[in-house]
Structures are given as C-alpha cells and as structure tokens.
Amino acid sequence: DIFVLSSVKEGLPYTILEAMAAGLPIVATRVGGVPEMIENEISGFLVQPKDSETLAKKISQLLENPDLAKNLAQKARQKYEKEFGLEKMIEKTVNLYHQG
C-alpha cells in the first residue's frame, strides 16, 4: 500500500522509480538522489536518515489519510511519466549521442 525507503545512504535508487511507476505513495529518507525524484509533500514524504520516529509518523499519516496517499501517489506517477518514463529516457539518450 505504501513504499518506504529508509536508507541511510543511496545513489539514485531504481526502487523509487518502480514505486512511482506503480502509483504508490512514497515515504523515503532524504539521501543521495532521492530528493531529485521525490518532492517533499508534493509527490511523497522525505525524512532525515535515521529518524525512525518521523518515518513512522509519515507512514501513519498516509495510512490514516487515503486521499492524501492517493494524491501524493498520483503526483509521483505524473513526475515519473514526465521525467523518467521509457520514452523520456530514450529521448535523453538519443539527445546525448547527437550532441557530438
């Protein structure tokens, strides 16, 4: 029902993209490239690493408010499609090779 990434250290986790594509509400730690993918309180919740209390509160907030969870999930899905979907990634790759 909710995707949670509680990492202390990350790069650009593909699992976040999978959760976005699946239309899941996301709670993740503010590490690595995660803030580039999730906008706090717009397309998910970001919390500080090792802050298990806030992580639990955000999970509870989503469980107690299905409309909020649905809204965040929709925004994440839209961002995925706009910035990280297959067509967009192909376009970025083609543009990269045609620059030279």
Side-chain angles (χ1 to χ4, degrees), residues 40-85:
N40 190 39
E41 298 188 7
I42 295 173
S43 56
F45 287 132
L46 296 175
V47 301
Q48 292 302 317
K50 299 182 182 180
D51 185 354
S52 57
E53 186 175 319
T54 302
L55 185 74
K57 284 180 184 177
K58 293 300 181 182
I59 294 168
S60 293
Q61 187 177 354
L62 291 176
L63 292 172
E64 293 167 3
N65 191 337
D67 289 336
L68 174 62
K70 183 178 178 180
N71 184 45
L72 293 175
Q74 286 175 340
K75 296 285 186 188
R77 172 77 188 194
Q78 290 169 356
K79 183 168 182 160
Y80 169 82
E81 290 173 356
K82 181 179 176 188
E83 297 182 25
F84 302 104

